[in-house]
């Protein structure tokens, strides 16, 4: 790591640590109240889909003379309709998003297991296999308990993600600080 990179990292480390602490607190809150976090995530995603639809619609009309106008217009309209449907039924949106998450995690697990057997000669290939098996088990638990899992899964997973993201955002600058101190001592 160059001294310029270390200097830049040290300058930004305070903000990273502050953001990391906020992420940890948000993660703990989401884990403590997964239902509230699930609803919040569903609302944010639903509005995001609606806004993306508007942006795609504007983009389609800005390029109406180019090829692909009609497909772009149709996609924008579909995003807007999907956003409106999700916004108008947040609990239904939470159900749909949880089901989609379960299917995606299951597919990810299957592909990781396949990838693990393709790279089994490589060191640590077992971790890929372990990750794939854990993803499959997690997806089965989500899908088996669906629709009841919809009230807590998104919030809990987001909370866990925020927690771990916050932890690395705190620990990484501290490690860089220690590295820079070690370099100045040598």
């Amino acid at each position: 790591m160059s001294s310029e990179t270390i200097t830049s990292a040290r300058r930004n480390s305070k903000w990273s640590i502050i953001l990391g602490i906020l992420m940890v607190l948000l993660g703990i809150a989401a884990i403590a109240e997964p239902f509230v976090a699930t609803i919040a995530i569903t609302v944010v995603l639903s509005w995001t889909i609606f806004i993306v639809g508007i942006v795609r619609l504007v983009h389609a009309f800005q390029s109406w003379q180019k090829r692909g106008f009609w497909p772009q217009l149709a996609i924008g309209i579909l995003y807007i309709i999907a956003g409106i449907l999700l916004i108008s039924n947040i609990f239904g949106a939470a159900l749909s998003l949880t089901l989609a998450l379960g299917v995606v995690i299951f597919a990810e697990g299957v592909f990781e297991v396949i990838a693990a057997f393709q790279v089994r000669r490589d060191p640590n290939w077992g971790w890929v296999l372990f990750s794939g098996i854990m993803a499959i088990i997690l997806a089965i638990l989500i899908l088996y308990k669906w629709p009841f899992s919809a009230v807590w899964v998104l919030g809990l997973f987001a909370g866990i993600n925020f927690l771990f993201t916050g932890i690395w955002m705190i620990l990484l600058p501290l490690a860089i600080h220690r590295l820079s101190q070690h370099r100045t001592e040598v």
Side-chain angles (χ1 to χ4, degrees), residues 8 25-27 34 38 49 54 75 78 82 85 98 128 136 146 171:
S8 174
L25 293 175
L26 186 61
T38 295
I49 290 170
I54 292 172
I75 291 169
L78 287 174
L85 291 173
T98 303
V128 179
I136 290 170
W146 188 84
L171 294 178

Side-chain angles (χ1 to χ4, degrees), residues 41-155:
I41 290 164
T42 304
V43 168
V44 168
L45 286 174
S46 300
W47 276 100
T48 301
I49 290 170
F50 178 75
I51 292 168
V52 166
I54 292 172
V55 169
R56 290 194 75 133
L57 204 64
V58 168
H59 179 263
F61 281 116
Q62 286 177 342
S63 58
W64 69 273
Q65 294 177 338
K66 296 180 181 174
R67 274 185 18 193
F69 165 75
W70 292 107
Q72 288 291 334
L73 181 69
I75 291 169
I77 291 170
L78 287 174
Y79 267 87
I80 290 171
I81 291 170
I84 290 170
L85 291 173
L86 292 172
I87 291 166
S88 66
N89 185 0
I90 292 299
F91 293 109
L95 284 170
S96 301
L97 291 171
T98 303
L99 180 62
L101 180 68
V103 170
V104 167
I105 291 174
F106 184 81
E108 175 189 359
V110 169
F111 288 125
E112 283 182 356
V113 168
I114 292 168
F117 284 109
Q118 290 177 345
V119 297
R120 69 177 170 261
R121 292 184 186 103
D122 293 345
N124 295 327
W125 73 276
W127 287 109
V128 179
L129 179 64
F130 177 75
S131 176
I133 291 170
M134 296 286 43
I136 290 170
I137 292 170
L138 182 62
I140 289 170
L141 290 173
I142 292 169
L143 296 172
Y144 177 72
K145 293 291 185 179
W146 188 84
F148 304 107
S149 63
V151 297
W152 58 267
V153 164
L154 296 175

